[in-house]
């Protein structure tokens, strides 16, 4: 019996070789070998290779040490977990007819499985892309710890430490290391080379060269002529020609700038292309663009043209563009002189914001939906463009969610994650500015959900003396004025609008029961792949912290059925234990969306809710929602309620991206976004005592909702309570 137990124990510890098969590329084969090796507790490295013919991969504990004796003792030994044991394990990949075939030459090991991969040098080597990042960030003056942080953000599984970064920096400085990334880096003459396996299983060539000094400036100038930069310059010229007929870039005014997208270079270090100043934008060509470094140094200028052309000059918007790149991490910025962007700031010369809601084109603005209130800050114009930098910076920091800033009597700055996002939003913003102007001409209020008539007031804005908040964009004249709302409501959902049981007995069980089905049906979609990436990261963190219910997720190559089953097991455990993590909330939202869209879910609200919302809407009171669920889920609930679509009564939705509901700062953020200067002008209704305390600390008036199923309140809590929203 003891012999049998020992044999079973040995079998459990046996490390298996990777499954054989064919692969489309050398990199795919290498990744397969490495990923499988990690599951078995051993690491691999490339022993021999001819890049287009074969590759031999061995256990990294293969080989023997050279003798280094002093006083009869070995001077250096690696840690036990990674010490060389002359392990015989070896697999071979050969290329035949453009297909790589993997065979096992020797599948045995002569050592125990490793428990810590960081002990193995082969797992601490950097990829070619990572070496390039180290080089560029070092040139930018970043410290090894900062570089390592950036690398780990790109690759959370990286086990290298700052010592490894120091080593690469030293090799680059000595000229003993060069990498080749699709021609972007200068190749050094090679005397010998050694291929290693990086943490992603991609082969990286480390080239040993004679000592040399790299001319970083020369290499950067070479990259300025690269395909990526050339294409970006042509794109800016094309967009200038496209926007000119729209009036955005007329009279040589306005400008465009785009980051040069290159996946091998960190976004913050990518080059920047800008259009010049004082030129006919409809005649722009690629060679007429400026190229700047990520920190604003001009690296390439347009060629000089003869009379009547003026000498080239980089756009006066450059300092403002660089601030947008720095603060908002934008991918492109457009500065438009469109007439609608100018006029909309002149309707009310005292306004500091443009506000509009319930317009279809709001959906084209990043982070906004039809029912949301879009807020665009307005800054005052100056005689010189560069003098706007300070006020533009203040506005971006005061409105962190905005993607546009209006300049009074001047135009607008608009940005996005990419040139496509920026162009799309610019078209939507100009549409909305134009719509507001036309609604004003019709005497209609563009800032209210129903766009009803503007209220007639005798006198100019603010002369009535009854406004307790800063003015919003509105009419400026003797006939029509928007009366600023004196009060607005902020409601929570659970225990106020919907029964607690709707969430605990319907929504959560639905997500729990449908997670595997949802993942299987949408597995290949970009949205679900993003959800899976977030889940993998959370699950890995849970495993490291020993969270109950967390199970490892197998690599993709084992098949999506096993991956989905493992993900579902983790998600079901999270739901059962009421975990409130971002990855789970996002996936739940997507599952609920599918449920609402298929009519399997119906939003349940208390019977007094529709009547109360209609009453407040008729009186001009604006109503907002603040809940733990995402804004998308909130809108789905109200759009598909048991009383029909109630979204027409609501002005906006807030989720915990503004902050925790039990923190006062979250309510300050909502007040600022809504545009309420006096906190007491907002009434907050909640079922939670902790949320009530936080809102009161922010200065809001607070009422606690008493509904069936709500939790108990402390004695002498000090808040007014209601049993129905109709009591308000």
């Amino acid at each position: 019996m003891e012999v049998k137990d020992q044999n079973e124990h040995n079998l459990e510890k046996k490390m298996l070789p990777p499954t054989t098969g064919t692969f489309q590329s050398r990199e795919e084969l290498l990744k397969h070998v490495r990923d499988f090796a990690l599951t078995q507790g051993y690491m691999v490295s490339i022993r021999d290779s001819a890049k287009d013919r074969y590759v031999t991969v061995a256990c990294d504990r293969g080989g023997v040490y050279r003798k280094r004796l002093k006083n009869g003792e070995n001077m250096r030994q690696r840690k036990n977990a990674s010490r060389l044991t002359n392990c015989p394990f070896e697999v071979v990949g050969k290329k035949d007819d453009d297909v790589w075939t993997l065979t096992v030459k020797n599948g045995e090991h002569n050592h125990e499985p490793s428990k810590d991969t960081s002990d193995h040098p082969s797992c601490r080597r950097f990829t070619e892309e990572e070496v390039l990042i180290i080089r560029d960030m070092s040139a930018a003056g970043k410290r090894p710890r900062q570089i390592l942080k950036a690398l780990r953000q790109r690759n959370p599984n990286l086990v290298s430490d700052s010592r490894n970064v120091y080593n690469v920096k030293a090799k680059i400085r000595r000229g003993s290391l060069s990498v080749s990334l699709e021609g972007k880096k200068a190749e050094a003459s090679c005397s010998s080379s050694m291929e290693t396996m990086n943490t992603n299983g991609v082969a990286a060539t480390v080239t040993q060269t004679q000592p040399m000094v790299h001319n970083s400036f020369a290499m950067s100038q070479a990259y300025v002529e690269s395909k990526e930069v050339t294409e970006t310059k042509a794109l800016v010229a094309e967009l200038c020609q496209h926007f000119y007929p729209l009036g955005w870039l007329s009279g040589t005014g306005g400008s465009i700038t785009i980051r040069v997208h290159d996946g091998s270079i960190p976004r913050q270090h990518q080059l920047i292309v800008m259009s010049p100043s004082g030129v006919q934008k409809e005649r722009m060509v690629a060679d007429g663009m400026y190229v700047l470094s990520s920190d604003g140094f001009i690296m390439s200028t347009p060629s000089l043209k003869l009379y009547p052309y003026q000498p080239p000059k980089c756009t006066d918007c450059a300092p403002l563009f660089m601030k947008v790149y720095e603060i908002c991490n934008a991918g492109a910025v457009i500065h438009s002189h469109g007439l609608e962007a100018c006029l909309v700031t002149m309707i009310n010369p005292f306004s500091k914001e443009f506000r509009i809601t319930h317009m279809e084109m709001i959906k084209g603005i990043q982070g906004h939906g039809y029912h949301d209130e879009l807020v665009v800050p307005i800054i005052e114009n100056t005689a010189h463009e560069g003098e706007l930098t300070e006020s533009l910076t203040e506005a971006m920091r005061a409105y962190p969610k905005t993607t546009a800033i209006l300049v009074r009597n001047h135009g607008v700055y608009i940005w996005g994650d990419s040139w496509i996002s920026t162009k799309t939003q610019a078209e939507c913003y100009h549409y909305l500015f134009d719509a507001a102007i036309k609604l004003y001409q019709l005497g209609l209020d563009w800032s209210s959900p129903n766009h009803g008539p503007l209220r007639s007031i005798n006198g100019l804005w603010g002369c009535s003396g009854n406004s307790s908040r800063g003015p919003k964009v509105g009419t400026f004249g003797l006939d029509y004025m928007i009366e600023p709302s004196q009060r607005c409501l902020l409601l929570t959902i659970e225990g106020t609008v919907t029964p607690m049981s709707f969430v605990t007995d319907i929504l959560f069980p639905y997500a729990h029961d449908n997670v595997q089905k949802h993942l299987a049906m949408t597995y290949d979609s970009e949205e679900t792949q993003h959800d899976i990436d977030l889940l993998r990261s959370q699950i890995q963190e849970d495993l490291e912290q020993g969270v109950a219910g967390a199970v490892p997720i197998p690599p993709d190559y084992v098949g999506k059925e096993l991956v989905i089953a493992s993900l579902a097991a983790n998600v079901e455990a999270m739901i059962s234990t009421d975990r409130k993590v971002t990855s789970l909330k996002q996936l739940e939202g997507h599952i609920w969306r599918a449920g609402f869209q298929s009519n399997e879910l119906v939003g349940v609200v208390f019977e007094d809710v529709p009547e109360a919302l209609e009453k407040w809407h008729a009186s001009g009171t604006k109503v907002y929602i603040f809940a733990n669920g995402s804004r998308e889920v909130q809108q789905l609930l109200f759009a598909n309620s048991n009383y029909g679509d109630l979204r027409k009564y609501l002005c906006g939705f807030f989720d915990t991206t503004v902050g925790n509901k039990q923190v006062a700062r979250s309510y300050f953020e909502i007040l600022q976004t809504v545009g309420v200067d006096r906190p007491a002008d907002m009434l907050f209704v909640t079922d939670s005592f902790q949320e009530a305390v936080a809102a009161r600390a922010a200065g809001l008036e607070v009422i606690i909702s008493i509904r069936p199923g709500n939790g108990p309140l402390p004695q002498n809590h000090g808040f007014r309570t209601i049993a129905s929203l109709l009591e308000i």
Side-chain angles (χ1 to χ4, degrees):
M1 186 68 180
E2 292 180 0
V3 174
K4 182 180 178 181
D5 291 342
Q6 184 62 38
N7 289 337
E8 290 178 353
H9 177 67
N10 291 337
L11 185 61
E12 288 176 0
K13 294 194 297 180
K14 183 177 180 180
M15 293 176 284
L16 302 175
T19 53
T20 57
T22 57
F23 302 85
Q24 295 301 311
S25 67
R26 178 177 183 268
E27 287 70 28
E28 185 181 343
L29 180 148
L30 292 172
K31 186 176 188 302
H32 167 69
V33 174
R34 180 187 180 277
D35 287 348
F36 187 86
L38 287 173
T39 66
Q40 298 296 306
Y42 62 92
M43 320 302 150
V44 291
S45 59
I46 296 175
R47 175 170 292 174
D48 186 22
S49 174
K51 203 156 192 175
D52 295 326
R53 292 187 292 118
Y54 71 91
V55 58
T56 301
V57 181
C59 177
D60 72 346
R61 298 186 68 175
V64 294
Y65 292 109
R66 290 177 294 167
K67 291 184 178 181
R68 301 180 183 180
L69 298 180
K70 182 178 180 181
N71 299 328
E73 295 184 1
N74 196 321
M75 292 175 60
R76 174 181 177 269
Q77 282 192 341
R78 284 159 63 179
K79 294 180 180 180
N80 288 333
S82 60
R83 187 175 300 161
L84 298 184
T85 62
N86 202 18
C87 178
F89 174 86
E90 190 172 276
V91 295
V92 178
K94 290 185 178 180
K95 185 179 181 183
D96 185 21
D97 294 332
D98 293 328
V99 175
W100 286 80
T101 302
L102 177 67
T103 58
V104 178
K105 188 173 180 180
N106 190 326
E108 299 297 323
H109 296 267
N110 62 3
H111 55 85
E112 296 292 318
S114 295
K115 297 180 180 179
D116 186 0
T117 60
S118 64
D119 287 338
H120 294 255
S122 61
C123 288
R124 297 198 300 271
R125 292 176 181 134
F126 294 108
T127 68
E128 289 185 335
E129 291 186 6
E130 289 167 343
V131 171
L132 182 61
I133 292 171
I134 293 172
R135 191 210 68 158
D136 290 342
M137 293 188 71
S138 297
K142 302 299 182 184
R143 297 178 179 273
R145 286 187 179 181
Q146 295 171 306
I147 297 173
L148 192 63
K149 182 178 179 181
L151 293 173
R152 284 177 175 164
Q153 288 175 343
R154 288 170 57 93
N155 178 13
N157 297 320
L158 189 70
V159 297
S160 305
D161 56 27
S162 56
R163 293 172 299 175
N164 303 114
V165 177
Y166 275 112
N167 291 340
V168 173
K169 284 166 59 76
K171 289 181 180 180
I172 294 174
R173 190 166 54 250
R174 292 196 305 267
S176 60
L177 180 72
S178 71
V179 295
S180 175
L181 274 171
E182 302 174 353
K184 297 180 182 67
K185 291 270 297 178
E187 291 271 3
S189 61
C190 131
S191 59
S192 65
S193 68
M194 174 184 66
E195 288 193 311
T196 61
M197 286 281 277
N198 62 55
T199 54
N200 295 321
V202 180
T205 303
V206 181
T207 307
Q208 305 297 331
T209 68
Q210 297 298 324
M212 60 178 288
V213 178
H214 286 291
N215 188 330
S216 299
F217 181 77
M219 292 169 64
S220 298
Q221 289 299 308
Y223 184 55
V224 168
E225 306 300 326
S226 69
K227 176 184 176 183
E228 288 83 353
V229 176
T230 302
E231 289 179 347
T232 306
K233 290 164 68 175
L235 176 60
V236 174
E238 178 187 343
L239 291 175
C240 285
Q241 296 168 13
H242 175 75
F243 293 145
Y244 177 80
L246 303 178
W248 298 1
L249 304 177
S250 57
T252 77
S255 189
I256 303 174
T257 174
I258 301 177
R259 280 192 196 270
V260 178
H261 177 70
D262 186 337
S264 66
I265 297 177
R267 187 181 183 92
Q268 66 270 28
H269 296 307
Q270 291 171 354
L271 297 184
I272 294 168
V273 174
M274 288 188 191
S275 61
S277 179
V279 299
Q280 307 300 314
K281 296 299 195 302
E282 77 277 18
R283 295 174 57 86
M284 289 300 306
V285 294
D287 291 340
M289 301 299 160
Y290 280 83
V291 180
L292 287 74
S293 67
S294 58
D295 47 4
F297 289 98
I298 295 176
M299 303 182 66
S300 174
T301 62
S303 56
L304 185 65
K305 294 184 178 181
L306 299 177
Y307 180 85
Y309 295 98
Q310 298 293 324
K313 176 187 175 185
C314 190
T315 174
D316 293 333
C317 304
L320 292 90
F321 286 157
M322 297 307 296
K323 273 297 178 185
V324 176
Y325 283 130
E326 175 191 342
I327 296 174
C328 303
N329 196 26
V333 192
I334 295 173
H335 174 42
S336 165
H337 282 191
L339 183 61
E340 54 270 72
C342 182
L343 291 179
V344 82
T345 67
M346 301 168 68
I347 294 175
N348 180 1
F350 303 113
S351 169
K352 298 299 182 184
E353 296 172 341
F354 166 76
R355 291 175 174 271
I356 192 167
T357 187
H358 285 68
M359 296 286 287
E360 180 68 14
M361 293 297 271
I362 293 178
K363 291 159 62 175
I365 307 302
Q366 180 179 311
H368 289 76
Y370 170 79
H371 294 89
D372 291 331
E373 184 177 42
L374 175 67
V375 181
V376 182
I378 302 174
I379 61 176
E380 301 303 321
N381 194 27
T382 57
H384 303 286
E385 197 96 30
E387 296 173 356
L388 291 169
T389 306
E390 184 176 350
S391 56
L392 186 90
T393 301
E394 291 176 355
M396 284 188 289
R397 297 195 189 284
Y399 295 81
K401 293 181 176 61
T402 190
T403 54
I405 293 177
L406 286 158
V407 183
R408 197 182 312 279
N409 306 346
H410 183 148
V412 63
Y413 284 85
I414 301 167
W415 58 90
D417 295 334
S418 66
W419 73 267
I420 295 176
S421 169
T422 305
K423 176 178 178 292
T424 301
Q425 292 188 95
E427 292 166 349
C428 293
Y429 275 118
H430 283 80
Y431 174 96
L432 293 167
F433 298 154
D434 186 53
I437 294 169
K438 287 182 167 60
L439 287 169
Y440 160 61
Q441 292 170 337
L442 294 171
L444 300 177
D445 179 4
W446 60 91
S447 67
S448 65
N450 60 356
H451 304 304
L454 299 171
R455 179 167 179 174
S456 177
I457 296 179
N458 294 323
L460 297 178
W461 180 271
C463 292
S464 61
N466 64 350
S467 173
S468 62
R469 50 167 287 185
K472 61 183 175 183
V473 171
T475 57
F476 183 68
L478 297 175
D479 297 324
Y480 291 97
M481 292 298 296
I482 300 175
E483 182 180 20
S485 59
Q486 293 298 303
R487 294 194 65 83
C488 57
L489 282 164
L490 181 65
L491 308 177
T492 60
I493 292 182
E494 299 175 51
T496 300
V497 172
T498 69
M500 296 292 290
S501 58
F502 172 66
V503 177
T504 57
D505 298 344
I506 297 178
L507 288 185
F508 286 162
Y510 184 87
H512 182 282
D513 296 342
N514 287 273
V515 58
Q516 191 156 349
K517 172 185 172 184
H518 174 81
L519 290 174
M521 292 180 62
T522 63
Y523 185 81
D524 295 323
S525 69
E526 183 177 347
E527 179 180 79
T528 297
Q529 284 299 311
H530 180 62
D531 290 345
I532 290 173
D533 289 341
L534 290 177
L535 284 170
R536 282 184 182 274
S537 178
Q538 182 63 52
I539 292 165
Q540 182 60 37
E541 183 179 324
D542 290 348
L543 288 169
E544 293 171 357
Q545 296 179 358
V547 175
V551 296
I553 306 300
D556 290 335
Y557 66 78
V558 303
K560 71 178 184 181
E561 291 78 11
L562 290 176
V563 173
I564 289 172
S566 300
L567 287 167
N570 280 281
V571 171
E572 290 166 3
M574 291 180 187
I575 295 174
S576 298
T577 55
D578 196 23
R579 296 283 301 281
K580 299 187 185 303
V581 291
T582 302
S583 57
L584 175 62
K585 289 168 62 177
Q586 181 165 300
L587 178 61
E588 283 179 330
H590 295 153
I591 296 172
W592 292 331
R593 177 181 62 196
F596 281 116
Q597 291 174 345
S598 64
N599 295 321
E600 293 180 3
L601 286 175
V602 174
V604 178
V605 301
F606 290 111
E607 61 181 0
D608 58 291
V609 171
E611 185 179 348
L613 290 176
E614 186 176 9
K615 180 182 72 172
W616 296 330
H617 182 72
S619 68
T621 301
K622 293 186 176 182
V623 183
Y624 300 87
I625 301 297
F626 185 24
N628 288 320
S630 69
R631 299 193 314 173
E632 181 184 27
V633 172
Q634 296 175 36
Q635 294 187 44
L636 286 168
L637 188 154
F638 284 99
N640 301 275
S641 83
N642 50 336
Y643 288 93
D645 191 348
L646 302 176
R647 291 176 298 174
K648 60 186 176 182
Y649 301 125
L650 303 171
C651 291
F653 301 85
F654 296 94
D655 57 25
T656 50
T657 56
V658 301
N660 191 297
K661 292 171 67 181
Q662 297 183 12
V663 176
R665 179 65 196 169
S666 305
Y667 299 91
F668 286 120
E669 180 73 22
I670 292 174
L671 289 168
Q672 186 178 51
T673 302
V674 171
V676 175
D677 290 338
R678 201 168 73 95
D681 284 344
M682 177 173 279
L683 173 63
F684 178 53
V685 185
T686 179
D687 69 299
S688 167
F689 172 72
Q690 291 80 5
E691 293 171 8
V693 171
R696 175 180 280 179
L700 280 69
E701 288 194 23
V702 180
I703 291 177
I704 293 183
S705 171
I706 306 296
R707 299 282 198 178
N710 286 9
L713 296 173
Q715 291 185 354
N716 304 319
H717 52 76
F719 291 97
R720 177 189 167 192
T721 62
I722 58 171
S724 167
L725 294 181
L726 293 173
E727 297 178 39
I728 300 176

